[in-house]
């Protein structure tokens, strides 16, 4: 089981595969007193059956659906402790403390994929996150907005800012920086929300555009739909978000170009695959030329037919004489 100190060090920083177009530096915050102690966060409790393959890959089964269960290198001890707990007790169904991770796809008709990053497992502790939340309850603190790759609104969880992280990304390569600052966009249903989710409007100027509100809510996880549903407010929505880190356009462009250059060129699925294919045309059998070759044979037979007729005429007078 993770200690409270370890939870505080890792809370609100799930590793994901989605980013938003932003700048490298943290956003200025004029109302720091309002946001003091506020952080980006996505953490909750799930109850499900844990299975581990021979290769070490873990899956979490909830309500008949399988979700990948992974861990970071610094939380390897928590994963090993979970495996030992299952081995010793013979009980595969465990109450886990997790970060949700969502992967969205460019095709809007393709559903997102949800997985969970293991933080720890609960054994009935009297305090901490496990005591604050019921099964399938999550604390979500992030930006309330729409993103292009998701039909419904999301809560966007970004990397919390601190000086050590800023120093790290200043020295890191673009690919490392983009990976480190990736955000998690968690789909959430919230009817009659006090603030509307922000939606980018390309027809408006930057000044008219506005910005997403920072919300702090408790949400229920819906396994049958792989998304979250608003349950209660933890604090009133804020106009300004706490400081956070996000990937810049320049770094993301550099990473995309590097990926394209490193990609092997695909061979065409149709066309010539053999350079000698050009010389293979004569292999096709042609039947048309054979027709004209047969015609002369027919014409050669005609003279013989004429000769027979002439010979027959010559024989007719002899018949009459007889």
């Amino acid at each position: 089981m993770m200690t409270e100190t370890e939870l505080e060090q890792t809370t609100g920083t799930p590793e994901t595969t989605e980013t938003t177009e932003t700048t490298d530096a943290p956003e200025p915050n004029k109302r720091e007193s309002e946001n003091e102690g506020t952080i980006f966060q996505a953490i909750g409790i799930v109850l499900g059956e844990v299975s581990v393959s021979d290769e070490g890959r873990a899956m979490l089964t909830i309500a008949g659906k399988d979700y990948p269960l992974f861990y970071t290198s610094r939380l390897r001890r928590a994963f090993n402790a979970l495996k030992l707990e299952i081995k010793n007790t013979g009980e595969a169904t465990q109450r886990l403390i997790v970060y949700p991770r969502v992967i969205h796809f460019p095709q809007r008709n393709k559903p997102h994929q949800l997985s969970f990053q293991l933080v720890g497992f609960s054994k009935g502790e009297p305090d901490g996150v496990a005591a604050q939340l019921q099964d399938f309850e999550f604390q979500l603190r992030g930006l309330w907005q729409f993103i292009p790759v998701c039909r419904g609104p999301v809560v966007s969880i970004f990397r919390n800012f601190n000086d050590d992280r800023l120093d790290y990304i200043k020295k890191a390569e673009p690919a490392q920086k983009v990976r480190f600052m990736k955000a998690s966009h968690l789909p959430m249903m919230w009817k009659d929300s006090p603030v509307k989710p922000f939606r980018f409007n390309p027809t408006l100027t930057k000044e008219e555009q506005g910005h997403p509100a920072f919300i702090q809510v408790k949400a229920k996880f819906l396994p049958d739909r792989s998304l979250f549903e608003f349950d209660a407010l933890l604090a009133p929505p804020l106009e300004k978000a706490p400081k956070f880190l996000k990937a810049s356009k320049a770094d993301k462009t550099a990473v995309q170009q590097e990926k394209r250059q490193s990609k092997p060129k695909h061979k065409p699925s149709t066309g010539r695959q053999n350079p000698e294919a050009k010389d293979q045309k004569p292999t096709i059998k042609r039947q048309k030329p054979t027709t004209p070759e047969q015609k002369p044979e027919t014409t050669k037979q005609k003279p013989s037919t004429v000769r027979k007729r002439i010979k027959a005429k010559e024989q007719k007078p002899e018949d009459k004489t007889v």
Side-chain angles (χ1 to χ4, degrees):
M1 173 63 194
M2 298 298 297
T3 64
E4 192 66 26
T5 303
E6 289 174 316
L7 284 175
E8 289 177 359
Q9 290 175 349
T10 56
T11 294
T13 57
E15 295 185 7
T16 63
T17 58
E18 290 297 324
T19 57
T20 302
E21 292 185 359
T22 52
T23 57
D24 200 22
E27 285 190 345
N29 193 344
K30 296 180 181 179
R31 301 170 65 179
E32 291 186 10
S33 59
E34 178 182 313
N35 297 342
E36 190 174 352
T38 305
I39 60 172
F40 283 83
Q41 184 186 56
I43 191 169
I45 304 294
V46 291
L47 183 68
E49 184 178 338
V50 179
S51 59
V52 183
S53 68
D54 295 336
E55 294 79 18
R57 294 181 181 178
M59 298 294 292
L60 179 63
T61 304
I62 305 174
K65 293 190 67 173
D66 293 333
Y67 297 95
L69 181 66
F70 66 101
Y71 60 93
T72 59
S73 56
R74 63 179 173 179
L75 294 177
R76 183 185 295 274
R77 284 190 303 172
F79 182 69
N80 291 336
L82 175 62
K83 290 195 298 182
L84 185 61
E85 176 73 12
I86 295 173
K87 181 180 179 181
N88 292 338
T89 63
E91 183 56 63
T93 300
Q94 297 288 327
R95 191 171 188 256
L96 307 181
I97 305 170
V98 294
Y99 297 143
R101 171 183 177 178
V102 175
I103 299 176
H104 295 276
F105 300 94
Q107 303 87 351
R108 297 192 64 173
N109 60 340
K110 188 174 183 179
H112 61 270
Q113 291 182 356
L114 179 66
S115 59
F116 295 102
Q117 177 182 326
L118 179 68
V119 179
F121 58 96
S122 171
K123 298 177 69 175
E125 290 77 14
D127 55 7
V129 175
Q132 297 171 11
L133 299 174
Q134 300 297 320
D135 295 346
F136 305 112
E137 285 187 347
F138 281 76
Q139 291 179 0
L140 305 181
R141 294 178 169 92
L143 300 182
W144 181 229
Q145 62 181 350
F146 283 95
I147 59 173
V149 290
C150 186
R151 291 183 177 181
V154 301
V155 183
S156 296
I157 315 297
F158 288 91
R159 283 276 187 181
N160 291 299
F161 168 82
N162 62 42
D163 292 331
D164 291 338
R165 287 176 177 174
L166 185 60
D167 290 340
Y168 168 77
I169 63 174
K170 283 181 178 178
K171 299 173 184 177
E173 296 294 327
Q176 291 177 304
K177 288 196 287 185
V178 170
R179 178 177 174 79
F180 181 77
M181 293 187 288
K182 285 176 179 179
S184 184
H185 306 286
L186 309 177
M188 187 179 76
M189 298 189 302
W190 187 2
K191 295 180 180 180
D192 304 321
S193 59
V195 288
K196 291 183 178 180
F198 171 76
R199 189 190 294 271
F200 177 75
N201 187 341
T203 63
L204 300 179
T205 63
K206 187 176 180 180
E207 292 73 19
E208 298 171 328
Q209 198 68 241
H211 57 272
F214 182 82
I215 62 170
Q216 305 176 73
V217 302
K218 183 169 68 174
K220 293 283 289 184
F221 172 59
L222 307 179
D224 57 330
R225 303 181 65 179
S226 297
L227 52 75
F228 299 85
E229 183 177 29
F230 170 81
D231 182 54
L233 273 173
L234 298 175
L238 302 175
E239 288 188 13
K240 294 285 184 180
K243 289 183 178 181
F244 61 97
L245 301 171
K246 44 188 179 177
S248 68
K249 278 185 177 180
D251 285 335
K252 289 196 296 183
T253 302
V255 172
Q256 290 297 327
Q257 289 178 346
E258 186 178 345
K259 284 182 179 179
R260 284 195 291 267
Q261 290 174 358
S262 61
K263 254 184 187 177
K265 293 182 179 180
H266 296 288
K267 293 182 179 181
S269 57
T270 58
R272 302 184 183 93
Q273 295 181 353
N274 187 349
E276 299 177 358
K278 294 180 181 179
D279 302 329
Q280 295 178 355
K281 288 183 179 179
T283 57
I284 302 174
K285 293 182 180 181
R286 297 179 181 177
Q287 297 179 352
K288 289 185 178 180
T290 60
T291 305
E293 293 176 4
Q294 293 173 354
K295 287 181 180 179
E297 295 177 1
T298 306
T299 54
K300 288 178 181 179
Q301 293 175 356
K302 286 181 179 179
S304 61
T305 306
V306 173
R307 290 192 196 96
K308 288 180 180 179
R309 289 177 180 175
I310 295 171
K311 192 174 182 180
K313 287 180 180 181
E314 292 175 350
Q315 291 176 354
K316 284 180 180 181
E318 297 175 1
D319 295 337
K320 286 180 182 180
T321 308
V322 175

